[in-house]
Amino acid sequence: DPAKMVRHLLCFDRKDGKLLWDQGEPAKLPEDYYDGMLREHGYTSSTPVSDGQHVFAFYGKSGVYAYDLEGKKLWHADVGDGLGMNGWGSAASPLLYDNLLIVCASAESKALIAFDKATGKEVWRTPADSLYPTWGTPVLVDAPGGKKELVIGAPFEIWALNPANGNF
């Protein structure tokens, strides 16, 4: 029952596998119907990311969450409430760059969005309709001159953006 859905971020002791904490977050509804490809990967396909002091999780239209290493929720940010064009949900994982947490919110808002990792405040947003059918996680690539580029595949295109400001 989607109305009862809760997404969980679990922390285990890597030495003995003991559950240290469990943070549950209710789903923002309506959610994609649990059928087709969604049955293959579920509602939480993305992988959390950590900077060694915080853990960040992206739950699609339910948003982005930041926790400290003890499991205390620090902030939550909305990314939009759109549904995927194929009903497949979200799959992209969040990415850290300097003080930014970057997410591909393609189904939710047709945009790449960067948040200040300390506060959850939106720093930049790069909207693009052609991003809509994209489920991939962007990657950071070393570019000439010591620069970094944020690279993501969109249908029939490969994009390279400045990760500091989201500009092409």
Side-chain angles (χ1 to χ4, degrees):
D1 180 359
K4 297 178 184 174
M5 184 174 17
V6 176
R7 291 184 168 98
H8 292 270
L9 181 64
L10 308 173
C11 178
F12 295 92
D13 186 308
R14 68 180 178 176
K15 294 176 193 157
D16 61 14
K18 178 183 172 191
L19 178 64
L20 300 175
W21 52 263
D22 174 352
Q23 269 293 356
E25 304 297 346
K28 182 177 181 180
L29 300 176
E31 188 53 90
D32 287 305
Y33 183 69
Y34 191 71
D35 196 19
M37 285 294 291
L38 202 49
R39 284 182 180 260
E40 301 292 323
H41 62 77
Y43 286 104
T44 52
S45 297
S46 67
T47 302
V49 65
S50 176
D51 63 2
Q53 297 176 18
H54 311 92
V55 180
F56 305 93
F58 175 46
Y59 295 139
K61 70 186 295 180
S62 294
V64 181
Y65 290 83
Y67 306 91
D68 68 17
L69 297 184
E70 302 303 315
K72 177 185 173 194
K73 183 168 42 174
L74 302 172
W75 55 261
H76 166 253
D78 189 52
V79 295
D81 56 11
L83 294 172
M85 65 187 300
N86 295 324
W88 293 348
S90 294
S93 298
L95 173 76
L96 288 167
Y97 172 76
D98 288 341
N99 66 328
L100 301 176
L101 179 75
I102 301 170
V103 297
C104 177
S106 58
E108 300 78 17
S109 62
K110 301 179 188 174
L112 288 168
I113 308 170
F115 299 94
D116 181 299
K117 73 177 187 176
T119 65
K121 180 181 176 193
E122 188 173 308
V123 175
W124 58 258
R125 176 182 292 250
T126 300
D129 284 344
S130 60
L131 190 64
Y132 189 45
T134 301
W135 291 271
T137 300
V139 296
L140 291 168
V141 175
D142 292 325
K147 296 181 181 178
K148 291 274 188 192
E149 290 185 349
L150 182 68
V151 176
I152 189 165
F156 310 106
E157 301 174 329
I158 300 293
W159 297 358
L161 301 93
N162 181 335
N165 58 26
N167 292 335
F168 286 94

